[in-house]
Amino acid sequence: LDAYKTRLDQLMITEIEHLESISSGTKVELCGIITKTETKLTKKKEDFMNFTLEDYSSEIACVAFPKTFLKYK
């Protein structure tokens, strides 16, 4: 992320450590590095991915459901 720090500082990005203080249902934008990936299959045999997103402040467990995973893999 260091190579992008100047650009990231210009964007309206929410840091992961501040997510708990934001009301449920509020749209936020996150930026970080995807780590600890694990691809799995749904009961319908569709690929999805569990992954960790890390920024300078913290990390969070995430899921890319089949439609999104297929679009961006």
Side-chain angles (χ1 to χ4, degrees):
L1 288 175
D2 289 338
Y4 304 99
K5 180 133 178 65
T6 302
R7 180 68 178 130
L8 293 174
D9 289 342
Q10 296 170 351
L11 301 173
M12 297 296 294
I13 303 295
T14 301
E15 290 185 334
I16 294 171
E17 72 178 354
H18 296 125
L19 290 176
E20 289 183 7
S21 64
I22 297 172
S23 299
S24 179
T26 302
K27 185 176 179 177
V28 298
E29 293 184 12
L30 303 173
C31 185
I33 301 293
I34 294 175
T35 62
K36 303 175 191 171
T37 61
E38 183 179 12
T39 304
K40 296 182 175 186
L41 288 175
T42 65
K43 291 179 184 177
K44 295 180 181 180
K45 306 291 187 219
E46 298 174 307
D47 287 334
F48 73 99
M49 179 179 280
N50 289 329
F51 61 94
T52 301
L53 181 67
E54 297 181 16
D55 68 8
Y56 285 109
S57 68
S58 192
E59 64 183 36
I60 189 169
C62 302
V63 178
F65 292 105
K67 186 176 178 181
T68 302
F69 179 69
L70 182 62
K71 183 176 178 179
Y72 294 104
K73 76 174 186 176

